[in-house]
Amino acid sequence: MDIGTLRGLGTLLVLIATLGVICWAYSGKRKASFDEAANLPFADDDRNESRSNRA
């Protein structure tokens, strides 16, 4: 096994990992949790507004 073969196997491994992450990220089963995570920054705004209204 020479260095070219090892580099080729490394490239193949990275390609498979990248495709796995892409499939995981765009899977329909993850949509609800990604939508919830996307709205997390706005949850703090609502809490801060309610505190400032009480003061």
Side-chain angles (χ1 to χ4, degrees), residues 2 24 35 43 49 52-53:
D2 62 342
W24 172 78
D35 287 342
E49 286 178 11
S52 65
N53 290 339

Side-chain angles (χ1 to χ4, degrees), residues 6-31:
L6 289 176
R7 287 180 180 168
L9 290 174
T11 302
L12 182 63
L13 180 65
V14 170
L15 175 67
I16 290 170
T18 303
L19 291 175
V21 168
I22 289 171
C23 290
W24 172 78
Y26 286 101
S27 120
K29 295 186 286 186
R30 303 285 306 162
K31 183 169 176 29

Side-chain angles (χ1 to χ4, degrees), residues 24-54:
W24 172 78
Y26 286 101
S27 120
K29 295 186 286 186
R30 303 285 306 162
K31 183 169 176 29
S33 56
F34 283 144
D35 287 342
E36 181 182 342
N39 289 323
L40 282 176
F42 304 114
D44 288 341
D45 292 341
D46 294 339
R47 197 174 337 148
N48 290 336
E49 286 178 11
S50 65
R51 287 182 186 165
S52 65
N53 290 339
R54 285 188 271 165

